[in-house]
């Protein structure tokens, strides 16, 4: 009989956690056991998996005993607290937070781009930032044909990136504004309904916010090009789910839109969406709930002979978070990489 695995979802009640649950079910992950972990607030509640109500329990060290894989999506501080304990208990942690992403000993993986990095894990594998995952999937196939010299990205990020509570807040704000009331802000610093604002992550001394620097640093690490020139402006927009990105790429030689289209038609995880007659291109509403990153509006950059413009939309909760994490778990299972080879090799 094929092997089955004991899996725990840390942050099971959150926006990404509930998607992880749905994906383990729909992709028929070979489970022997599934534990749903969250904060003490959720202890005693249940979530449905394959028609069965599974209990949600508060997280403690004992929860990781006998667990093979932890899919963590409960925020950075929770990951910092529990991931080392889960690894000590013998689990591999696939962490959706930013806590370990830039740690040189932690592989940062987009399975379509750098699956080989998984072999180097020492117990923790990081799932990249959502905007970085979506961009990487779309531009890596082009980078394989001609190395990218510079990336200029602008993002249009949905409320889902800030969690389930933030999505609810935008809906309530919209209702309040339509009713002539003052919208409440808790999850976000400013009203997002009928508004937008530069990404609400912390600002750094360089003038970039953390989200923008994640795109810079994580793309470099995933692509294995430490000095890749990347710049980004990240903006929160009143979309519930699915992020959009306008990306300008610069190559050493001209890269024709036709060649880019051909490459992206065959690229894993990418769907080309372009109807120039109808002016129909990727939209977050179409990307929501989909696994693929939708790419379109590929065109020559008028301002640079070696520049290429493209537009993409991708489901932040799915490929931008939960799906990528489950794909990493599938990779570990298929390549038999659950034991940390890097630690053993020492
Ligand atoms: P809970 O629902 O009990 O608060 P989101 O990103 O959608 O806001 O979800 C965050 C997830 O992380 C939720 O499942 C939340 O559980 C969980 N979480 C938050 N704080 C902790 C904690 N200290 N320990 C374990 N899980 C936590």
């Amino acid at each position: 009989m094929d092997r089955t695995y004991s899996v725990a979802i840390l942050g099971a009640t959150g926006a990404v956690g509930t998607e992880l649950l749905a994906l383990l079910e729909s992709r028929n992950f070979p489970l022997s056991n599934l534990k749903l972990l969250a904060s003490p607030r959720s202890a005693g509640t249940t979530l449905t998996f394959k028609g069965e109500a599974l209990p949600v329990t508060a997280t403690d060290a004992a929860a990781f005993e006998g667990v093979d894989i932890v899919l963590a999506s409960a925020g950075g501080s929770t990951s910092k607290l529990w991931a080392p304990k889960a690894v000590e208990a013998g689990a591999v942690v696939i962490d959706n937070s930013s806590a370990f992403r830039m740690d040189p000993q932690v592989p940062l993986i987009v399975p379509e781009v750098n699956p080989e990095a998984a072999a180097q894990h020492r117990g923790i594998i990081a799932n990249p930032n959502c905007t970085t995952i979506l961009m990487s999937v779309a531009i890596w196939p082009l980078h394989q044909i001609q190395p990218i010299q510079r990336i200029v990205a602008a993002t249009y990020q949905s409320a889902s990136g800030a969690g389930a509570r933030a999505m609810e807040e935008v809906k309530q704000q919209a209702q309040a504004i339509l009713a002539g009331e003052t919208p409440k802000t808790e999850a976000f610093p400013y009203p997002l309904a009928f508004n937008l604002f530069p990404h609400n992550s912390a600002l750094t001394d360089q003038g970039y916010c953390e989200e923008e620097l994640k795109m810079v640093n994580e793309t470099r690490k995933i692509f294995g090009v430490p000095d890749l020139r990347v710049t980004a402006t990240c903006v929160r927009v009143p979309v519930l789910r699915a992020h959009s990105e306008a990306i300008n790429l610069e190559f050493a030689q001209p890269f024709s839109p036709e060649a880019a289209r051909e490459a992206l038609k065959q690229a894993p995880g990418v769907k080309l969406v372009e109807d120039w007659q109808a002016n129909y291109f990727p939209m977050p509403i179409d990307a929501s709930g989909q696994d693929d990153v939708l790419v379109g509006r590929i065109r020559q950059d008028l301002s640079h002979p070696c520049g290429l413009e493209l537009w993409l939309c991708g489901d932040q909760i799915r490929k931008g978070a939960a799906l990528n994490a489950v794909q990493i778990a599938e990779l570990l299972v298929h390549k038999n990489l659950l034991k940390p080879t890097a630690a053993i090799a020492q």
Side-chain angles (χ1 to χ4, degrees):
M1 204 187 102
D2 286 341
R3 218 195 124 175
T4 52
Y5 301 85
S6 171
V7 173
I9 301 177
L10 174 55
T13 50
V16 175
T18 48
E19 196 67 32
L20 285 165
L21 192 64
L23 283 165
L24 291 176
E25 177 166 343
S26 65
R27 294 171 76 89
N28 219 6
F29 192 86
L31 289 171
S32 59
N33 183 40
L34 181 58
K35 283 187 183 175
L36 305 180
L37 309 174
S39 80
R41 289 181 292 274
S42 301
T45 63
T46 61
L47 290 168
T48 307
F49 183 74
K50 296 196 171 174
E52 229 184 282
L54 294 187
V56 179
T57 55
T59 311
D60 59 24
F64 302 109
E65 275 163 28
V67 170
D68 298 305
I69 301 170
V70 177
L71 299 168
S73 191
S77 55
T78 307
S79 284
K80 274 194 189 138
L81 174 66
W82 294 118
K85 293 190 168 62
V87 173
E88 235 170 74
V92 176
V93 178
I94 301 167
D95 183 34
N96 197 50
S97 81
S98 61
F100 303 102
R101 287 184 192 145
M102 294 315 294
D103 182 333
Q105 300 199 336
V106 173
L108 183 65
I109 296 180
V110 178
E112 290 86 346
V113 177
N114 62 338
E116 69 289 343
Q120 300 307 315
H121 82 82
R122 294 162 186 248
I124 301 176
I125 294 178
N127 207 36
N129 165 259
C130 48
T131 45
T132 310
I133 294 178
L134 302 176
M135 180 171 81
S136 297
V137 169
I139 67 174
W140 177 253
L142 309 180
H143 184 70
Q144 297 310 284
I145 296 170
Q146 219 199 118
I148 294 167
Q149 309 282 302
R150 183 170 181 244
I151 303 169
V152 182
T155 72
Y156 306 73
Q157 300 185 218
S158 62
S160 56
R165 211 160 56 89
M167 292 167 81
E168 207 41 50
E169 179 165 299
V170 177
K171 287 191 219 164
Q172 286 169 3
Q173 287 174 349
Q175 281 168 349
I177 291 168
L178 290 173
E181 295 159 10
T182 307
K184 290 203 179 83
T185 54
E186 277 168 16
F188 288 122
Y190 311 106
L192 187 57
F194 305 105
N195 190 26
L196 56 80
F197 44 79
H199 196 278
N200 47 298
S201 54
L203 288 168
T204 67
D205 293 344
Q206 292 155 291
Y208 284 74
C209 69
E210 281 177 355
E211 183 81 355
E212 291 160 350
L213 291 184
K214 284 176 190 172
M215 290 191 81
V216 174
N217 296 323
E218 294 181 20
T219 306
R220 289 173 170 172
K221 180 168 174 177
I222 296 162
F223 278 35
V225 184
D227 57 355
L228 185 62
R229 291 154 71 207
V230 186
T231 183
T233 301
C234 294
V235 176
R236 196 68 87 179
V237 295
V239 169
L240 280 183
R241 183 169 167 151
H243 291 351
S244 305
E245 302 179 30
I247 297 172
N248 180 277
L249 300 172
E250 190 183 318
F251 299 88
Q253 305 289 327
F255 199 129
S256 78
E258 294 70 33
R261 252 175 228 119
E262 277 317 303
L264 291 174
K265 264 185 207 160
Q266 295 156 36
V270 173
K271 187 172 170 198
L272 199 60
V273 175
E274 285 192 319
D275 183 341
W276 289 85
Q277 308 259 288
N279 202 345
Y280 173 72
F281 300 104
M283 291 188 281
I285 218 164
D286 291 337
S288 294
Q290 285 214 29
D291 288 350
D292 286 337
V293 177
L294 311 184
V295 184
R297 286 204 84 210
I298 301 167
R299 61 204 190 280
Q300 162 77 50
D301 175 353
L302 285 179
S303 73
H304 196 296
C306 303
L308 194 68
E309 293 276 1
L310 60 84
W311 169 255
L312 68 82
C313 296
D315 189 317
Q316 172 276 321
I317 300 177
R318 256 179 125 86
K319 183 57 188 168
L323 175 63
N324 200 71
V326 172
Q327 285 173 319
I328 294 171
E330 290 169 348
L331 177 69
L332 294 178
V333 165
H334 293 146
K335 300 272 182 201
N336 198 18
L337 291 172
L338 276 172
K339 281 210 166 55
T341 48
I344 288 163
Q346 271 189 343

